[in-house]
Amino acid sequence: ETLRGTTLEDSPIVACSPVTREGLDALLRALDAAIDGLPPKRDIGRPRLPIDRVFTIDGFGTVVTGTLIDGGLALGDEIEAMPGGLRGRIRGLQSHRDKVERALPGTRTAVNITGIERDALRRGMVLATPGRLRPTDVIDVRLRAVEALPHALRHNMHVTFHCGADEANGQLRLLDTDGLRSGGEAWAQIKLDTAVAAVRGDRFVLRTPNDTVAGGVIVDAAPKRHRRHHAPTLDALAALLSDAPEDVILDAITRAPMIERAALERLVTMPPGQLAATLDGL
């Protein structure tokens, strides 16, 4: 009954006990079956590691952990911690407690870093290839309110934005409506009090002090301020939400006609090979 209407509604329910170990074999089989049905993790050659823990180990120095996404990390790679632009190099890697020379996207990863002091890092920062990430304090989003929302979301209300391992306070600007009720969707722009290292396509959650109120997907991590209820702006946001690479690239070039190749790569967040092929086709 609790799971009805959620994404977990049809998931298997396995009764098990860590004390007697009854049912644990069935739980492992259920986990294996769930993993077997997952698509491969996206690898676009742009590794990002949202940091959820930072600590030091005697004799090794700074270590961070997180779940690696969008690409692999290898021993000796130069990395950059954003926001902040701190640069260092990978001295050691572990994945699920095993030492590895290369960590793959989708794996829990511990990174031993040289060149960055532990006190300079915090939960929520993101490790990436130097020059790949740009911090932002304004984002355009496609927003969906949770079911059974206690109160409608209001234009200019204050929220807490959660993305990756980071969080920031911000102000919600609704672009196509004056209020968003339970289960409704809208276009919005969020002005954050502090910058975050997020990119187009990242998922996020919005909270008030006591409730989770909405979630959604980032459609533009470097937008300008928009007029509300402006049809061309809403059409452009819809194109950014599209999975068609041609739509994404055309919209990016329309907004920045003289954009350089490297900046376009950061903006559209697609594999370089796909970007090159799409540009050739256009």
Side-chain angles (χ1 to χ4, degrees):
E1 293 173 353
T2 300
L3 299 178
R4 186 176 299 137
T6 74
T7 57
L8 299 176
E9 181 175 9
D10 297 321
S11 298
I13 297 175
V14 182
C16 59
S17 168
V19 178
T20 67
R21 300 192 64 82
E22 180 181 359
L24 286 185
D25 288 341
L27 176 61
L28 290 174
R29 289 194 295 272
L31 289 171
D32 285 340
I35 292 171
D36 289 342
L38 292 175
K41 295 297 181 182
R42 184 173 76 160
D43 188 346
I44 58 173
R46 299 178 186 178
R48 291 186 292 149
L49 185 84
I51 297 172
D52 51 42
R53 285 198 306 150
V54 185
F55 52 94
T56 57
I57 297 179
D58 289 343
F60 291 91
T62 305
V63 177
V64 301
T65 67
T67 300
L68 185 58
I69 56 176
D70 286 351
L73 291 175
L75 291 178
D77 282 354
E78 186 180 4
I79 49 88
E80 183 176 40
M82 299 293 287
L86 303 172
R87 295 201 178 190
R89 193 170 295 277
I90 297 176
R91 179 183 180 183
L93 286 170
Q94 284 192 5
S95 184
H96 303 285
R97 299 185 183 275
D98 292 329
K99 290 184 178 180
V100 295
E101 293 189 0
R102 182 174 179 81
L104 301 178
T107 59
R108 288 291 300 172
T109 305
V111 185
N112 180 204
I113 304 170
T114 62
I116 305 178
E117 295 297 323
R118 180 256 179 273
D119 291 342
L121 299 172
R122 62 166 177 84
R123 175 184 169 89
M125 296 176 78
V126 180
L127 290 189
T129 304
R132 285 294 190 183
L133 280 182
R134 295 284 178 87
T136 179
D137 61 2
V138 183
I139 53 172
D140 288 343
V141 303
R142 184 62 177 173
L143 188 67
R144 180 165 64 87
V146 300
E147 301 290 345
L149 188 66
H151 306 284
L153 302 184
R154 307 179 313 279
H155 176 62
N156 279 340
M157 72 180 290
H158 292 279
V159 294
T160 303
F161 170 84
H162 298 262
C163 183
D166 207 357
E167 64 177 90
N169 294 325
Q171 187 175 33
L172 177 67
R173 300 186 65 246
L174 297 174
L175 298 178
D176 58 353
T177 184
D178 294 322
L180 187 61
R181 299 189 180 277
S182 297
E185 296 193 16
W187 295 108
Q189 185 171 89
I190 304 173
K191 178 67 174 71
L192 301 172
D193 293 347
T194 55
V196 299
V199 301
R200 174 185 173 273
D202 281 353
R203 297 280 175 172
F204 66 91
V205 168
L206 294 185
R207 285 183 55 83
T208 58
N210 298 315
D211 299 291
T212 297
V213 295
V217 61
I218 297 174
V219 296
D220 191 349
K224 299 178 181 178
R225 186 176 177 89
H226 303 305
R227 290 165 48 193
R228 300 182 65 216
H229 304 289
H230 183 235
T233 295
L234 302 178
D235 289 343
L237 291 174
L240 278 175
L241 191 61
S242 168
D243 287 332
E246 293 84 1
D247 291 344
V248 175
I249 290 173
L250 283 173
D251 182 79
I253 294 174
T254 299
R255 290 185 292 120
M258 300 301 291
I259 192 169
E260 294 182 348
R261 178 67 168 261
L264 180 62
E265 288 182 0
R266 286 192 298 269
L267 187 62
V268 300
T269 316
M270 66 178 63
Q274 184 184 37
L275 176 64
T278 306
L279 287 174
D280 288 343
L282 291 170

